[in-house]
DNA sequence: CTGAAAGCGCTTACAG
DNA sequence: CTGAAAGCGCTTACAG
C-alpha cells in the first residue's frame, strides 16, 4: 500500500499535476468532464493530498491548538472541559478542522507551546483557557500574529477576543435566591484563586452579600477536587455559627460538600442549602439533587470555535458574551430553618 | 513579527542552510563552535523549524491521532476517556508528541478518518477505542501501513497490537464477592451491547453466575448515561422478585441507580448492594460511597502511548495486558438481608 | 568540516 | 482550457 501523490493521479488521468490540483480543489481552469475524470481517478486510487505539502505551499493546516493548563497533582480533566471540548469538536470537525490537545503543567511556562506552535506553523489558531491575572500567555499571543481566542473574561484577555459569560451575575442570582429563602450566613467554596474568573466570582459574591446586608460571609479557597471541597466544607460547618448555605465553584466540590454535610448529621436542605456551579449529570444523580448554576457548555465550545474560525479567516472579531449561567433550583436549597 | 526560516539563520550566522539543519538537529558535520554559534542565533531569533517542511522531507509529524466514536445523542465524554487522555498526554508530551483529537459520530463510517489521516500524512500513528465486533476500523488499519494500537480485547483487534485488561476476571471477582455475601439474585446493567468489552463482561458474568448456581441472573442493556441507568434500575427493582445486588458497567449509571434505589425506599446496602465499574471521584462522594471495580486508567493511557511509540519506532510490538480492575468494597455492598 | 543542489508533494502565477 | 515551472522550508546525500 503506497500513498498516491498528485503526480500518480496526473499520470493515471493523463493530465498535468497542475490540472489535478485545480480539479480536486474545485478551482477554475479545468473542463467539467476533465474534472470529473480526475476526481474519479483520485477516488479510485484513494488519494488524499499530503497536508505537509499543502501547508508548505501556503495552505492552512486546519488544526486548532488547545493547551490546557492542568495542575500537576490533579488527575483527569474536569467535566467542564469535557463538555467544552465536545462543543469545540462539533463545530470544528463540521468545518474540517481538527483539535490538537496538549495538557501542560500549570507550573511550567506554558507560553512556549504557543511560540512553538506558531514557529512551527503547526496550528492555524489557538484557544486559551483558565486565564490568570497578568497572564503571560496573553502577552505572548498579543505579540504573535496567530489568531487566538480567550475563553474567559475580556478584562483579562488583553487585546484578544474573548468568549465569556457574566459569572458575577450568576452568583448574584444565587445569593439573592438564598437571601430570599432567609439565609443570612452564606459561604462560598471557591476554585483556584489564581484564576481570573474566581476573582470575578469572589468580588461579585462579596458585593452582593454586602448589598443584601448578609453577615459572616466568607469565601474559602479550594482547588476543584472533591477532597479540597470536602475539607473546606468540614471546616466551615465546624465553626461556632456555621453558615446555612454554601455556594461551590464546581460540581465535584459541591457533591463532596453534600456528602460531608450528610456525614455530619445535617439535613439538606433542612439545615444547609447547597448550590453548585456547572450542572453536570452528577448534580442530578445525588440525593438530594443539587440546585445548580447551569449553562450550555457545549454551546459555549461551539461558539468559541466559531469565533476562532472567523478570526482565522482574517475577520476582526469582537469578544462575545454568552448567556450567564442560570440558577436551576433542585432539592438542595430551601428556606432557612427558623 | 515574521517567522525566521532556516535561510535567515544561515544568513545571520554566516553559514549555509545545510549547516544550520545539521547543527540544530544535533547531527555530525559541524564543528562544536559553529554549532553553538548557530544555536545561539537560532535561539535569539526564536527559530522553530516548520513542521510542514520537515514532514515533507521525510520527518515524522509527531502527531498521534485519537478518534473517539461518540453516539450523537450522548453529550460529553465519559470520565474514562478523560483519564485515558490524561495518561496518553503524560507520556506523549514527554516525548514531544501531540494528540490530535477527533470525535466522530458512532453512526457514520469512522474509517474514513483513518484513511484521511494516513493519506494526508497527518499522523504518525493512531489509537482505536471502543472496539466493536467485526470492527471495520480494525480491518482498515490492518490494510494501512500506519502504526496503530487498539485499546480493547486482542480478539477483536485483529493483527493490531492491543492494550487491554481482563474485564471478565474483574467481573468474576465482583460476582464471587456478592455470592459470598449471600446474594443469589444479581443483575447487571451493561453498557452499549455493540462494544466488544460489553460482550466479554456479559459472557463472564453469565458464566460466573451459572458456576455459582445463582438464580434469576439477568443482564440488561443501557448506554452509559445516568438516564438509561436509572431506567434500567427502576425496571429491575419493580420486578416481582427483584435482584438483591446490581453490577453496573460504569460509574454514572451506578450513581443513577443508587439514586433510584433510595428514591424507591430501599436501603443500600441493606436491601440492595451496588457495584460500579471505573472508580471516578463520584463513587467516593455519594452516600453510601460505591464499591467499585478500580483500575489505574491514567496508567493505562500512559502504557498505550508507550506501546504506540514503540510501534511508530518500527518495533514489532505484542499486545500487552494491564492489571484487571480490582474490587474496592465500600459502603454500597453488604450481606444479603436474610 | 562545509557548501551547493536535489528532492519531498503540493499550489499557483505564467505562458501557450 | 492546459502544461511547464517556480517556490514553499526543510533534510540529506554528494562534492569539495
Amino acid at each position: 500500500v503506497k500513498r498516491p501523490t498528485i503526480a500518480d493521479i496526473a499520470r493515471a488521468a493523463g493530465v498535468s499535476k497542475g490540472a489535478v490540483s485545480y480539479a480536486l480543489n474545485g478551482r477554475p481552469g479545468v473542463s467539467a468532464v476533465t474534472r470529473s475524470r480526475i476526481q474519479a481517478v483520485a477516488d479510485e486510487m484513494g488519494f488524499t493530498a499530503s497536508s505537509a505539502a499543502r501547508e508548505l505551499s501556503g495552505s492552512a493546516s486546519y488544526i486548532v491548538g488547545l493547551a490546557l493548563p492542568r495542575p500537576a497533582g490533579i488527575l483527569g480533566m474536569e467535566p467542564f472541559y469535557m463538555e467544552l471540548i465536545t462543543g469545540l469538536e462539533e463545530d470544528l470537525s463540521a468545518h474540517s478542522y481538527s483539535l490538537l490537545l496538549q495538557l501542560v503543567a500549570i507550573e511550567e511556562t506554558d507560553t512556549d507551546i504557543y511560540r512553538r506552535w506558531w514557529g512551527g506553523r503547526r496550528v492555524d489558531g489557538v484557544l486559551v483557557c483558565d486565564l490568570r491575572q497578568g497572564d503571560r500567555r496573553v502577552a505572548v499571543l498579543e505579540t504573535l500574529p496567530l489568531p487566538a481566542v480567550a475563553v474567559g473574561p475580556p478584562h483579562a484577555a488583553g487585546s484578544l477576543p474573548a468568549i465569556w459569560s457574566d459569572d458575577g451575575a450568576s452568583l448574584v442570582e444565587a445569593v439573592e435566591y438564598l437571601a430570599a429563602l432567609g439565609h443570612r450566613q452564606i459561604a462560598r467554596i471557591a476554585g483556584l484563586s489564581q484564576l481570573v474568573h474566581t476573582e470575578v466570582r469572589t468580588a461579585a459574591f462579596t458585593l452582593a452579600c454586602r448589598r443584601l446586608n448578609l453577615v459572616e460571609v466568607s469565601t474559602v479557597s479550594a482547588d476543584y477536587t472533591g477532597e479540597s471541597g470536602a475539607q473546606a466544607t468540614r471546616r466551615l460547618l465546624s465553626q461556632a455559627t456555621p453558615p446555612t448555605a454554601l455556594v461551590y465553584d464546581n460540581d465535584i466540590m459541591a457533591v463532596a460538600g453534600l456528602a460531608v454535610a450528610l456525614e455530619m448529621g445535617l439535613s439538606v436542605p433542612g439545615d444547609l442549602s447547597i448550590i453548585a456551579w456547572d450542572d453536570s449529570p452528577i448534580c442530578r444523580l445525588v440525593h438530594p439533587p443539587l440546585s445548580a448554576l447551569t449553562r450550555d457548555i457545549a454551546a459555549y465550545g461551539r461558539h468559541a470555535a466559531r469565533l476562532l474560525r472567523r478570526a482565522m479567516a482574517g475577520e476582526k472579531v469582537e469578544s462575545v458574551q454568552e448567556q450567564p449561567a442560570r440558577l436551576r433550583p433542585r432539592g438542595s436549597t430551601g428556606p432557612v430553618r427558623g
Side-chain angles (χ1 to χ4, degrees), chain A:
Chain A
V1 190
K2 243 194 120 258
R3 278 179 284 219
T5 70
I6 207 172
D8 299 323
I9 310 298
R11 202 176 313 116
V15 296
S16 71
K17 295 186 337 187
V20 174
S21 176
Y22 288 135
L24 262 32
N25 293 316
R27 318 205 55 207
V30 282
S31 66
V33 357
T34 326
R35 188 188 301 276
S36 62
R37 183 160 48 93
I38 294 176
Q39 186 63 259
V41 172
D43 288 349
E44 196 206 343
M45 299 181 74
F47 173 76
T48 306
S50 152
S51 51
R54 304 186 78 143
E55 285 164 40
L56 198 53
S57 39
S59 156
S61 69
Y62 285 96
I63 294 185
V64 160
L66 175 63
L68 289 185
R70 301 291 78 196
I74 301 185
L75 220 77
M77 311 195 297
E78 286 128 58
F80 173 82
Y81 280 109
M82 296 201 300
E83 291 216 42
L84 188 75
I85 289 174
T86 303
L88 287 171
E89 278 282 351
E90 269 176 55
D91 178 274
L92 291 178
S93 61
H95 294 85
S96 45
Y97 278 90
S98 295
L99 190 68
L100 196 64
L101 184 67
Q102 184 102 10
L103 304 189
V104 296
I106 210 169
E107 291 80 9
E108 80 180 30
T109 76
D110 42 11
T111 61
D112 290 350
I113 185 79
Y114 293 107
R115 288 193 201 280
R116 270 205 308 274
W117 277 347
W118 176 73
R121 297 145 178 81
R122 253 285 188 243
V123 299
D124 295 338
V126 296
L127 295 153
V128 204
C129 297
D130 275 359
L131 298 179
R132 280 161 282 169
Q133 35 266 48
D135 202 308
R136 289 168 50 223
R137 298 170 302 165
V138 169
V140 166
L141 287 168
E142 285 179 316
T143 301
L144 264 33
L146 177 66
V149 163
V151 178
H155 78 263
S159 60
L160 305 181
I163 183 150
W164 65 295
S165 63
D166 187 348
D167 282 13
S170 309
L171 212 39
V172 167
E173 185 179 350
V175 171
E176 286 180 344
Y177 177 70
L178 291 172
L181 291 173
H183 293 277
R184 308 276 302 155
Q185 290 172 228
I186 308 178
R188 174 163 167 274
I189 291 84
L192 290 173
S193 57
Q194 308 97 292
L195 301 181
V196 170
H197 70 256
T198 303
E199 238 180 22
V200 168
R201 295 180 186 180
T202 301
F205 177 70
T206 311
L207 204 67
C209 290
R210 192 167 308 151
R211 186 164 49 76
L212 293 165
N213 257 314
L214 304 184
V215 293
E216 302 263 1
V217 298
S218 60
T219 289
V220 305
S221 239
D223 67 5
Y224 299 119
T225 62
E227 288 70 37
S228 76
Q231 201 172 13
T233 306
R234 213 170 275 122
R235 206 149 12 107
L236 284 166
L237 296 181
S238 306
Q239 291 172 342
T241 52
T244 61
L246 297 175
V247 184
Y248 293 83
D249 258 6
N250 79 347
D251 44 4
I252 301 278
M253 293 196 294
V255 171
L258 170 65
V260 166
L262 299 178
E263 142 202 323
M264 289 177 74
L266 298 177
S267 98
V268 175
D271 303 313
L272 181 72
S273 284
I274 287 179
I275 293 180
W277 253 97
D278 282 338
D279 193 16
S280 71
I282 350 173
C283 292
R284 268 161 278 150
L285 297 177
V286 292
H287 215 81
L290 295 182
S291 303
L293 290 163
T294 305
R295 53 181 165 169
D296 187 343
I297 301 172
Y300 206 22
R302 282 195 299 272
H303 298 163
R306 201 190 328 166
L307 193 65
L308 181 56
R309 279 194 298 106
R310 284 176 45 210
M312 293 187 301
E315 254 182 81
K316 242 206 159 43
V317 297
E318 300 293 322
S319 295
V320 320
Q321 182 171 6
E322 294 283 292
Q323 292 292 333
R326 295 220 180 106
L327 183 67
R328 177 167 304 165
R330 294 206 184 89
S332 68
T333 42
V336 74
R337 195 168 274 181

